[in-house]
Short mmCIF file of all heavy atoms in Angstrom, two decimals:
data_model
loop_
_atom_site.label_atom_id
_atom_site.label_comp_id
_atom_site.label_asym_id
_atom_site.label_seq_id
_atom_site.Cartn_x
_atom_site.Cartn_y
_atom_site.Cartn_z
N CYS A 56 28.39 -85.79 16.18
CA CYS A 56 27.23 -85.24 16.88
C CYS A 56 26.70 -83.92 16.27
O CYS A 56 27.37 -83.39 15.50
CB CYS A 56 27.75 -84.96 18.38
SG CYS A 56 28.38 -86.33 19.34
N GLN A 89 41.09 -77.98 27.57
CA GLN A 89 42.30 -78.34 26.86
C GLN A 89 42.26 -79.78 26.29
O GLN A 89 41.74 -80.66 26.98
CB GLN A 89 43.48 -78.14 27.87
CG GLN A 89 43.38 -79.06 29.13
CD GLN A 89 44.62 -78.85 30.03
OE1 GLN A 89 45.58 -78.14 29.66
NE2 GLN A 89 44.61 -79.35 31.19
N HIS A 97 28.20 -81.12 13.68
CA HIS A 97 27.66 -79.93 13.11
C HIS A 97 26.56 -79.28 13.94
O HIS A 97 26.06 -80.04 14.85
CB HIS A 97 27.16 -80.13 11.66
CG HIS A 97 25.94 -80.97 11.54
ND1 HIS A 97 25.89 -82.38 11.45
CD2 HIS A 97 24.64 -80.62 11.57
CE1 HIS A 97 24.72 -82.84 11.36
NE2 HIS A 97 23.88 -81.72 11.43
N ASN A 179 48.95 -69.83 19.21
CA ASN A 179 49.42 -70.42 17.97
C ASN A 179 48.28 -71.09 17.31
O ASN A 179 47.73 -71.99 17.64
CB ASN A 179 50.47 -71.55 18.30
CG ASN A 179 51.83 -70.97 18.57
OD1 ASN A 179 52.35 -70.00 17.87
ND2 ASN A 179 52.59 -71.56 19.46
N LEU A 180 47.84 -70.40 16.24
CA LEU A 180 46.50 -70.81 15.64
C LEU A 180 46.74 -71.31 14.22
O LEU A 180 47.53 -70.62 13.42
CB LEU A 180 45.60 -69.60 15.54
CG LEU A 180 44.42 -69.74 14.77
CD1 LEU A 180 43.40 -70.68 15.44
CD2 LEU A 180 43.67 -68.28 14.57
N GLY A 242 38.40 -57.22 6.53
CA GLY A 242 39.25 -57.92 5.69
C GLY A 242 38.78 -59.14 5.25
O GLY A 242 38.04 -59.88 5.92
N LYS A 275 38.74 -43.68 11.44
CA LYS A 275 39.68 -44.58 10.87
C LYS A 275 39.02 -45.80 10.32
O LYS A 275 38.54 -46.62 11.11
CB LYS A 275 40.79 -44.92 11.92
CG LYS A 275 41.46 -43.74 12.63
CD LYS A 275 42.14 -42.80 11.65
CE LYS A 275 42.76 -41.68 12.38
NZ LYS A 275 43.33 -40.67 11.47
N ASP A 303 35.16 -57.47 -4.66
CA ASP A 303 35.20 -56.03 -4.65
C ASP A 303 35.51 -55.54 -3.30
O ASP A 303 34.90 -56.13 -2.29
CB ASP A 303 33.88 -55.48 -5.10
CG ASP A 303 33.65 -55.73 -6.71
OD1 ASP A 303 34.71 -56.09 -7.36
OD2 ASP A 303 32.52 -55.58 -7.11
N TYR A 327 51.38 -51.60 8.87
CA TYR A 327 52.43 -50.97 9.69
C TYR A 327 53.44 -51.98 10.17
O TYR A 327 53.16 -52.96 10.69
CB TYR A 327 51.77 -50.30 10.92
CG TYR A 327 52.73 -49.66 11.92
CD1 TYR A 327 53.11 -48.29 11.85
CD2 TYR A 327 53.37 -50.38 12.87
CE1 TYR A 327 54.02 -47.75 12.69
CE2 TYR A 327 54.27 -49.88 13.75
CZ TYR A 327 54.69 -48.48 13.66
OH TYR A 327 55.51 -47.95 14.53
#
Side-chain angles (χ1 to χ4, degrees):
C56 296
Q89 63 180 350
H97 70 271
N179 278 320
L180 172 66
K275 306 299 178 186
D303 293 343
Y327 174 96

